[in-house]
Amino acid sequence: MDKEFFAAALQAREKAYAPYSDFAVGAAVKTAGGKVYTGCNVENASYGLTCCAERNAIFAAIAAGERRFASLCVVADTKEPVAPCGACRQVMREFGIDRVILANCAGKHLAMTVEELLPYSFGPESL
Ligand code: THU
């Protein structure tokens, strides 16, 4: 695994706003040009408004004008590498982020494609 990329996700996790679940998540997304954007989960007293770390990282990159991505790394303090939620898998699919590194804080990780995470998916070409 790319150590710096993992470290960026781990560092982003430190900023998580998760007073309700106490489950902090960090994510980093790398553009095709090699730039890294990060995100953490941000919860809300109106629970359903919570936004995951992965989407916050992707949306930060999009808001900065990025459109082409190489990979995403997500990390949480889990026994096994953390599994991204379904909504985040769909957003990764939207932007063609094919290589996804799932990790835990100890560095245990695995790499998966979005096709593996979200088979037979609906995407931009489906319209
Ligand atoms: N969470 C993420 O940030 N990413 C995921 O893929 C799974 C869930 C967050 C949302 C919420 O703040 C907390 O983890 C517990 O669900």
Side-chain angles (χ1 to χ4, degrees):
M1 175 169 55
D2 177 337
K3 288 243 169 64
E4 270 180 42
F5 192 38
F6 171 69
L10 201 59
Q11 198 179 323
R13 181 180 169 274
E14 296 296 317
K15 302 282 197 298
Y17 177 74
Y20 307 108
S21 71
D22 206 26
F23 188 78
V25 186
V29 64
K30 194 179 284 183
T31 68
K35 255 187 111 171
V36 171
Y37 294 83
T38 60
C40 60
N41 54 330
V42 181
E43 299 188 343
N44 193 281
S46 177
Y47 299 159
L49 297 184
T50 291
C51 193
C52 294
E54 301 93 309
R55 273 175 290 152
N56 280 331
I58 295 166
F59 295 160
I62 293 294
E66 306 287 355
R67 290 294 185 272
R68 295 176 54 240
F69 299 96
S71 54
L72 181 143
C73 177
V74 56
V75 62
D77 189 15
T78 43
K79 189 163 177 280
E80 297 303 320
V82 66
C85 84
C88 290
R89 292 177 195 213
Q90 183 67 35
V91 172
M92 292 175 207
R93 167 71 173 88
E94 178 72 20
F95 296 109
I97 305 176
D98 196 46
R99 184 177 159 78
V100 186
I101 297 149
L102 320 180
N104 69 14
C105 291
K108 187 170 181 183
H109 64 280
L110 57 103
M112 295 183 76
T113 64
V114 168
E115 174 61 23
E116 288 168 333
L117 289 166
L118 195 68
Y120 194 63
S121 61
F122 188 84
E125 330 73 51
S126 310
L127 293 168

